[in-house]
Amino acid sequence: QELTTVRVQDPRVQNEGSWNSYVDYKIFLHTNSKAFTAKTSCVRRRYREFVWLRRQLQRNAGLVPVPELPGKSAFFVGSTDEFIERRRRGLQRFLER
């Protein structure tokens, strides 16, 4: 049976303290699928790259619904750490679906 596991982990704030700071996440993929040459891979991606991916999927999905991304909110209640963790979990759900 073919299995693919994807994990969103290790959020890091880049350029912290500057006007152009952002958070990126480690995306870890492990599979035993014969369709993949590399059985594991790991990259870092930021939220806007997930937005790009979702748009590409929507263009090619036809009638298949594309999962939602977690919201992008400039205003939220709670700490920055809580927001980052909520987003990480939302990105995880997006990739799993």
Side-chain angles (χ1 to χ4, degrees), residues 22-61:
Y22 62 92
V23 178
D24 65 13
Y25 302 84
K26 183 191 294 184
I27 314 302
F28 177 79
L29 178 105
H30 177 77
T31 185
N32 64 359
S33 171
K34 293 176 181 155
F36 289 82
T37 305
K39 300 306 178 192
T40 61
S41 64
C42 187
V43 295
R44 296 199 70 84
R45 294 291 181 257
R46 57 193 288 186
Y47 182 81
R48 73 178 183 187
E49 292 170 294
F50 282 88
V51 172
W52 176 88
L53 173 61
R54 186 171 188 277
R55 283 189 192 127
Q56 298 305 308
L57 291 171
Q58 283 178 310
R59 283 191 189 135
N60 297 307

Side-chain angles (χ1 to χ4, degrees), residues 8 23 25 27 45-55 66-76 82-97:
V8 179
V23 178
Y25 302 84
I27 314 302
R45 294 291 181 257
R46 57 193 288 186
Y47 182 81
R48 73 178 183 187
E49 292 170 294
F50 282 88
V51 172
W52 176 88
L53 173 61
R54 186 171 188 277
R55 283 189 192 127
V66 177
E68 294 294 324
L69 285 169
K72 183 171 185 170
S73 175
F75 305 100
F76 59 92
E82 289 171 7
F83 176 77
I84 291 170
E85 176 57 20
R86 230 176 303 137
R87 178 172 276 177
R88 186 203 63 75
R89 286 191 311 262
L91 295 172
Q92 176 79 42
R93 281 191 302 276
F94 170 78
L95 290 179
E96 285 171 349
R97 291 180 181 154

Side-chain angles (χ1 to χ4, degrees), residues 8-22:
V8 179
Q9 53 194 28
D10 189 26
R12 290 188 191 164
V13 178
Q14 304 294 338
N15 301 326
E16 192 166 10
S18 72
W19 64 272
N20 62 344
S21 66
Y22 62 92

